[in-house]
Amino acid sequence: MGRLLEDLKQPGMQLEETHISRVLLGAREVWKLKKPVNFGFLDFSTSEKRHIACEAEVALNRRLAPEVYVGVIPITRDEAGRHAFAGKGRTVDWAVLMQRLPDSHRLDRRLADGHLTKSQLESLARKLADFHSRARSDAHTAAFGTVGAVAENVRANFDAVRAKLSTVLSEEQALELENRQSAFLRDNAGLFAERIHQGHVRDGHGDLRLGQIYLDETGNASILDCIEFNERYRCGDVAADIAFLSMDLAAHGRVDLSELFLAAYVEASQDFDLYRVVDFYESYRACVRGKVALLTAADDEIQPAARLRAEEEARRYFLLALATLRRNLTPPVLVAVGGLMASGKSTLATRLGLEMAAPVLSSDRTRKHLLRAHPTQRLADEIEKGSYAPEMTSRVYREIFRLARTVLSTGRSILVDASFRSRKHREALREAAHNQGAGFLFLECRADVETLKRRLRERALGPSISDGREELLDAFAQGWEAVEELNESEHLVLDTTRPLEEGLARIRGRLPQLTGLIRK
């Protein structure tokens, strides 16, 4: 490998290494070579196996970065023994050729430079939700999401590093970490089966971390380096995919952005049940990164300084894996945002959810999800008829209550965006919050009739998740039941014709228990 790299590395090229690859970085192009290694979970020990892995890498990564992956090229050796990319002589190895993207666009760099915005993370979450919705999901992929398959991956993590784990964790910490992950699997076999039944086990990416994702100046995301060498690490619950990135944000000291990203993904995918498993998967993913760092540190060819950095990185990830399973979050709060159609409740809920890094559970999205309709598909039914018949509305609210309880049970706050015209629905949601030990606040959005009608006319000009129409407003308003069942501490009326910041300031003052979550 030494002579090969000497021949291939041209002036101006940089060499970067991982435990499985050597990467040559040119000004505009990148050549990625597989190391001739066999770790059990991957086998690149022969040229033929490396060729197959290169072909798979290009095909799979074109799903999320089609413009980056140029193709697979041969590495040749001529009669003089000199190596070249696609040169003369016989083929002795293979490389993946890629277009080089600016380092400044990489998410870990953007985060370090203070250039990673909340809106960019929300856009990325929507892209990943769309990717997962189209990814392969069948009996073959489902096998990778069973509790047995996940347990095998957990055991493989610890088996690969057990002899080395004492260099970064105490014996007590190592034992606690393994026992906690095993206990979650043992106690939640039914939950894993339910996730399979719901279609959440798919052929995903497998390595969604900050250093693999690039955002250009327009916000377009290119996501590189999925796991091509082993299906069992790429296929699985979408929560396992998403947990890699949320864990990585937390590992970089940004738990707020981690929770924001999770909330945006959950809203886009309508997969609120993801919260039931995501803490476990974040711990598992932190162990994966810890394992990779320890394997890197054990490489005989690595420099001493790099070995020390790898060991410190491993220690940090394994401690994060343990801390995630010990997580004690601030007591959660359920904020319900209601009012007449076009009263501004969705605008307020979205902004407040962004500040709280909490998911927004929308009745409009929930209704269309239950009806298997696209979020912006118009359901042109009258009030209390068709898709808005009382029995369908009851079904929507039952699902809202279930999902709200699910999120609260993980210690996270949630916002619910619905009209809440009836007292029984408001009371039921308050009871659900209190049963989970959560605080409760109902925000009632109000605006004058002319403002409501103007907003509805403007909304009709383009796509919208809401089906509210001007001609339905009067009938809708007649069904509103005044808020008399809530005490003053649980009810706040907001005039949404006033500036949004004014309303947010009043909410912050009403929710002192959210100190540390709401960021001004």
Side-chain angles (χ1 to χ4, degrees):
M1 183 63 80
R3 172 63 188 274
L4 183 147
L5 284 175
E6 287 179 15
D7 291 343
L8 296 178
K9 191 172 183 291
Q10 302 300 313
M13 282 186 180
Q14 298 172 264
L15 172 64
E16 292 186 355
E17 295 194 50
T18 70
H19 66 300
I20 63 174
S21 301
R22 289 184 171 91
V23 183
L24 292 170
L25 303 170
R28 294 187 176 86
E29 295 174 312
V30 174
W31 295 264
K32 185 176 179 183
L33 291 70
K34 310 292 185 187
K35 287 183 177 179
V37 294
N38 184 350
F39 289 129
F41 61 88
L42 66 83
D43 185 359
F44 296 159
S45 58
T46 69
S47 175
E48 181 182 2
K49 290 177 178 178
R50 294 192 291 277
H51 185 199
I52 292 171
C54 286
E55 293 285 0
E57 179 172 356
V58 170
L60 290 165
N61 279 293
R62 281 178 174 169
R63 297 177 300 168
L64 284 165
E67 72 290 350
V68 175
Y69 285 80
V70 178
V72 178
I73 60 172
I75 298 172
T76 56
R77 185 168 60 206
D78 63 19
E79 293 181 355
R82 290 187 297 268
H83 299 85
F85 291 116
K88 295 180 180 180
R90 68 184 185 91
T91 298
V92 295
D93 217 326
W94 303 87
V96 172
L97 175 61
M98 305 162 62
Q99 295 293 333
R100 184 171 183 180
L101 301 176
D103 290 345
S104 60
H105 289 179
R106 210 171 61 203
L107 252 61
D108 56 347
R109 288 285 296 274
R110 283 191 174 275
L111 183 63
D113 296 340
H115 296 154
L116 180 57
T117 67
K118 293 179 178 180
S119 62
Q120 288 171 338
L121 276 178
E122 289 182 303
S123 177
L124 176 61
R126 290 191 292 270
K127 180 184 179 80
L128 288 168
D130 178 66
F131 165 66
H132 283 146
S133 73
R134 294 180 287 104
R136 178 182 177 184
S137 178
D138 53 25
H140 179 75
T141 58
F144 296 101
T146 65
V147 70
V150 178
E152 182 180 352
N153 290 344
V154 168
R155 283 194 298 270
N157 268 347
F158 288 105
D159 288 346
V161 298
R162 189 170 282 109
K164 308 176 185 69
L165 204 51
S166 61
T167 63
V168 295
L169 289 182
S170 70
E171 183 178 345
E172 293 76 16
Q173 288 171 325
L175 184 61
E176 180 186 356
L177 176 57
E178 188 168 4
N179 285 345
R180 283 182 179 270
Q181 290 192 0
S182 298
F184 185 90
L185 292 164
R186 183 184 63 247
D187 298 341
N188 292 280
L191 176 55
F192 285 86
E194 184 179 336
R195 295 289 294 172
I196 293 172
H197 179 72
Q198 293 171 341
H200 294 309
V201 177
R202 295 181 175 259
D203 188 336
H205 184 277
D207 199 16
L208 280 175
R209 49 195 172 90
L210 292 168
Q212 315 281 50
I213 303 171
Y214 292 73
L215 283 177
D216 65 21
E217 299 306 331
T218 68
N220 179 59
S222 295
I223 304 174
L224 315 185
D225 291 338
C226 79
I227 300 293
E228 89 286 345
F229 52 80
N230 196 322
E231 278 187 310
R232 63 186 270 210
Y233 297 134
R234 187 181 69 250
C235 297
D237 196 316
V238 297
D241 235 11
I242 292 305
F244 219 143
L245 186 52
S246 61
M247 178 279 298
D248 209 13
L249 286 164
H252 283 76
R254 294 304 302 268
V255 175
D256 58 325
L257 294 183
S258 172
E259 291 297 320
L260 173 78
F261 170 72
L262 286 176
Y265 179 87
V266 162
E267 290 173 33
S269 63
Q270 197 64 20
D271 181 14
F272 285 81
D273 286 311
L274 174 146
Y275 280 117
R276 301 169 71 186
V277 293
V278 75
D279 288 339
F280 164 79
Y281 278 121
E282 282 190 2
S283 179
Y284 165 71
R285 289 306 197 185
C287 284
V288 170
R289 293 307 303 156
K291 175 183 70 175
V292 170
L294 273 185
L295 290 174
T296 300
D299 188 338
D300 292 337
E301 299 181 23
I302 196 172
Q303 296 296 317
R307 177 175 290 106
L308 289 174
R309 287 196 298 272
E311 288 179 350
E312 182 55 38
E313 181 178 325
R315 180 179 295 104
R316 179 162 52 87
Y317 276 116
F318 280 119
L319 288 174
L320 176 62
L322 187 55
T324 298
L325 294 177
R326 293 170 168 174
R327 176 177 284 161
N328 291 310
L329 298 178
T330 303
V333 175
L334 191 158
V335 179
V337 187
L340 299 180
M341 58 179 67
S343 61
K345 56 186 182 294
S346 296
T347 299
L348 177 63
T350 298
R351 176 61 184 277
L352 190 56
L354 187 64
E355 292 202 13
M356 292 171 58
V360 177
L361 178 54
S362 160
S363 62
D364 290 326
R365 281 185 175 273
T366 301
R367 187 184 304 273
K368 292 181 181 180
H369 180 74
L370 291 174
L371 293 170
R372 301 186 183 279
H374 188 274
T376 59
Q377 179 181 332
R378 295 281 187 179
L379 303 177
D381 296 300
E382 300 299 313
I383 300 295
E384 299 191 357
K385 294 181 180 179
S387 302
Y388 287 84
E391 58 270 23
M392 185 62 201
T393 295
S394 294
R395 183 183 172 195
V396 170
Y397 275 97
R398 284 197 302 273
E399 180 68 356
I400 284 173
F401 298 154
R402 183 187 74 82
L403 295 175
R405 287 192 297 268
T406 293
V407 176
L408 292 171
S409 70
T410 71
R412 291 172 170 89
S413 295
I414 186 170
L415 293 97
V416 181
D417 168 16
S419 63
F420 290 107
R421 290 194 299 162
S422 72
R423 295 187 184 92
K424 71 174 183 178
H425 288 150
R426 297 189 295 259
E427 289 178 327
L429 194 63
R430 176 179 61 178
E431 182 180 359
H434 290 172
N435 287 343
Q436 294 293 330
F440 176 79
L441 177 64
F442 178 63
L443 304 176
E444 182 182 349
C445 297
R446 293 180 183 176
D448 59 84
V449 174
E450 289 307 313
T451 297
L452 297 178
K453 290 183 176 180
R454 175 180 56 77
R455 289 173 177 172
L456 288 168
R457 288 193 296 270
E458 292 172 351
R459 182 186 293 171
L461 299 177
S464 174
I465 295 175
S466 172
D467 292 319
R469 305 191 301 278
E470 185 178 2
E471 61 268 26
L472 302 177
L473 179 59
D474 289 342
F476 191 85
Q478 289 175 8
W480 178 267
E481 296 179 4
V483 182
E484 299 172 343
E485 73 285 356
L486 303 178
N487 61 50
E488 184 177 345
S489 67
E490 298 174 320
H491 180 213
L492 181 62
V493 176
L494 298 168
D495 179 357
T496 61
T497 65
R498 302 288 301 168
L500 180 59
E501 288 297 330
E502 181 179 305
L504 289 169
R506 293 185 62 200
I507 296 168
R508 294 186 190 110
R510 183 61 69 86
L511 291 173
Q513 61 266 58
L514 283 184
T515 301
L517 285 182
I518 291 186
R519 287 169 172 76
K520 298 183 181 181

